[in-house]
């Protein structure tokens, strides 16, 4: 059982090694460590935090500390200024408490895989403490504001994007195909399905992309600390294993989708043939990048 738990934890938490870097990846890794000279964003307001707290689903399973959304909401109503000051202290000092960076993994058997003996039969459910989810949501809301206000995010990004859906992505492809057919052109469509995409989100590229979009300095350094020394815990009745995470965006996090869009945006900005267009549609279990050439 000890070996089984260790194997499962290793499978669920892939490792990023600088030894595998190409010259391009070495450049990105070095650039991500550069200093950021943008201005600081303003501190979180009490009303801003209250809106996030109230938006949290009270019925969600709690993280490692066992504090539910309902408990935290009551705590916020009792100590609103104290909790607001705590989150602003994190923002001001660029500190993400270590205990908030621990994720609890719950393996769930995928439908139809009950008889499979491979570790791939499981899909991990990731449980985070409610207090970290609130800070994540505050953080990614601010980052998304800057990304959209500076028009950093490519217009062909349809996943995790406000006012857009699968239907919009499908209609965009349909319009491209109709345009090509009407012009008598040959159309080639390539669909890239990225397996375990969130687990492969590369932290240096996320940080480099945040630098490129002009992310405020205090938000950038809070993300940088957030992506440092994270850990995952997998346990049974008698065994508890913990492993450091060095890559990926936690599927149970509020930051995951937004940070994925930030780092994935570079693909949409590649210089391609004038008649080649790239679109993306993503959701939590399926990340696809259709590339259409005419």
């Amino acid at each position: 059982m000890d070996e089984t738990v260790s194997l499962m934890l290793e499978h669920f938490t892939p490792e990023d090694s600088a030894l595998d870097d190409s010259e391009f990846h070495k450049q990105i890794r070095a650039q991500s460590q550069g200093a950021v000279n943008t201005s600081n964003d303003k501190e979180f307001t009490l009303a801003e935090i209250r809106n996030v707290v109230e938006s949290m689903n009270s019925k969600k399973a709690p993280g490692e500390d066992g504090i539910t959304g309902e408990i935290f909401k009551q705590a916020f109503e009792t100590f609103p200024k104290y909790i607001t000051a705590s989150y602003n202290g994190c923002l001001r000092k660029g500190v993400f408490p270590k205990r908030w960076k621990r994720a609890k993994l719950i393996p769930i058997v995928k439908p139809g895989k009950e008889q499979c003996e491979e570790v791939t039969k499981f899909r991990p459910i990731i449980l985070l403490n409610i207090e970290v989810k609130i800070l994540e949501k505050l953080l990614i809301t601010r980052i998304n504001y800057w990304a959209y206000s500076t028009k950093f995010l490519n217009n062909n990004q349809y996943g995790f994007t406000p006012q857009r859906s699968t239907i919009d992505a499908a209609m965009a492809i349909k319009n491209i195909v109709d345009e090509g057919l009407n012009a008598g052109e040959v159309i080639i469509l390539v669909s890239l399905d990225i397996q375990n995409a969130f687990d492969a989100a590369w932290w240096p590229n996320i940080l480099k992309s945040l630098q490129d979009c002009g992310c405020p300095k205090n938000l950038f350094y809070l993300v940088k600390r957030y992506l440092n020394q994270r850990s995952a815990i997998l346990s049974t009745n008698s065994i508890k294993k913990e492993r450091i995470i060095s890559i990926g965006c936690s599927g149970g996090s509020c930051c995951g989708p937004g940070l994925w869009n930030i780092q994935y945006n570079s693909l949409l900005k590649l210089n391609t043939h004038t008649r080649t267009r790239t679109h993306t549609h993503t959701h939590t279990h399926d990340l696809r990048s259709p590339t259409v050439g005419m």
Side-chain angles (χ1 to χ4, degrees):
M1 179 59 71
D2 187 275
E3 293 180 357
T4 298
V5 172
S6 296
L7 177 64
M8 292 175 67
L9 190 55
E10 290 176 8
H11 174 74
F12 294 144
T13 56
E15 186 177 10
D16 175 36
S17 175
L19 298 177
D20 300 325
D21 284 357
S22 65
E23 287 301 318
F24 174 77
H25 290 98
K26 288 178 181 178
Q27 292 177 13
I28 297 294
R29 196 183 292 273
Q31 291 169 356
S32 71
Q33 299 304 313
V36 173
N37 299 315
T38 53
S39 301
N40 284 328
D41 202 7
K42 63 182 181 179
E43 293 192 338
F44 301 125
T45 66
L46 191 151
E48 186 178 4
I49 296 175
R50 184 186 298 279
N51 288 337
V52 172
V53 172
E54 292 178 351
S55 71
M56 303 305 289
N57 189 341
S58 300
K59 297 182 180 180
K60 289 281 187 179
E64 187 185 25
D65 62 8
I67 297 177
T68 64
E70 187 61 36
I71 293 174
F72 192 88
K73 288 179 180 180
Q74 293 180 20
F76 181 79
E77 290 304 317
T78 305
F79 307 107
K81 293 183 179 179
Y82 173 80
I83 292 176
T84 300
S86 297
Y87 284 133
N88 278 323
C90 293
L91 178 63
R92 191 181 313 113
K93 298 180 179 180
V95 172
F96 215 100
K98 187 175 180 179
R99 68 173 59 189
W100 288 4
K101 294 190 283 187
R102 292 159 60 93
K104 183 179 179 181
L105 299 183
I106 306 294
I108 303 296
V109 178
K110 298 176 182 178
K113 298 286 187 178
E114 291 80 4
Q115 304 304 318
C116 179
E117 296 183 357
E118 300 294 329
V119 70
T120 53
K121 70 182 290 184
F122 295 103
R123 179 171 65 87
I125 300 296
I126 300 172
L127 302 181
L128 300 170
N129 293 344
I130 182 66
E131 53 269 33
V132 68
K133 287 185 176 181
I134 291 170
L135 182 53
E136 284 185 356
K137 200 164 188 178
L138 289 166
L139 181 58
I140 199 61
T141 299
R142 290 287 187 90
I143 290 174
N144 280 337
Y145 169 78
W146 283 97
Y148 286 114
S149 64
T150 58
K151 301 186 185 304
F152 173 76
L153 291 178
N154 192 286
N155 194 48
N156 290 335
Q157 171 63 268
Y158 290 88
F160 308 118
T161 303
Q163 308 302 317
R164 288 191 165 191
S165 67
T166 305
I167 295 175
D168 295 305
M171 290 302 298
I173 297 297
K174 177 182 180 299
N175 292 337
I176 294 173
V177 172
D178 287 344
E179 178 186 335
L181 292 176
N182 292 334
E185 297 174 324
V186 175
I187 303 167
I188 299 174
L189 187 146
V190 178
S191 180
L192 173 65
D193 189 351
I194 305 175
Q195 185 177 11
N196 299 325
F198 271 22
D199 293 339
W202 193 42
W203 295 354
N205 194 37
I206 291 175
L207 296 175
K208 173 62 168 55
S209 298
L210 288 173
Q211 292 172 334
D212 292 342
C213 79
C215 180
K217 181 166 59 176
N218 52 355
L219 298 179
F220 174 84
Y221 283 111
L222 188 54
V223 172
K224 189 172 183 179
R225 187 60 62 88
Y226 168 76
L227 295 177
N228 180 52
Q229 291 295 303
R230 300 188 63 79
S231 63
I233 300 165
L234 183 60
S235 61
T236 66
N237 291 336
S238 58
I239 299 172
K240 183 176 182 180
K241 296 283 186 178
E242 184 171 0
R243 176 177 162 91
I244 295 296
I245 303 172
S246 57
I247 191 172
C249 291
S250 169
S253 73
C254 298
C255 276
L259 293 180
W260 173 266
N261 276 0
I262 291 287
Q263 71 112 31
Y264 201 70
N265 191 66
S266 59
L267 176 65
L268 298 176
K269 292 191 173 184
L270 290 175
N271 291 325
T272 58
H273 190 278
T274 54
R275 300 296 286 165
T276 300
R277 308 180 193 181
T278 306
H279 293 67
T280 68
H281 163 59
T282 60
H283 59 77
T284 51
H285 301 305
D286 177 26
L287 288 96
R288 292 179 180 161
S289 310
T291 302
V292 180
M294 295 183 290

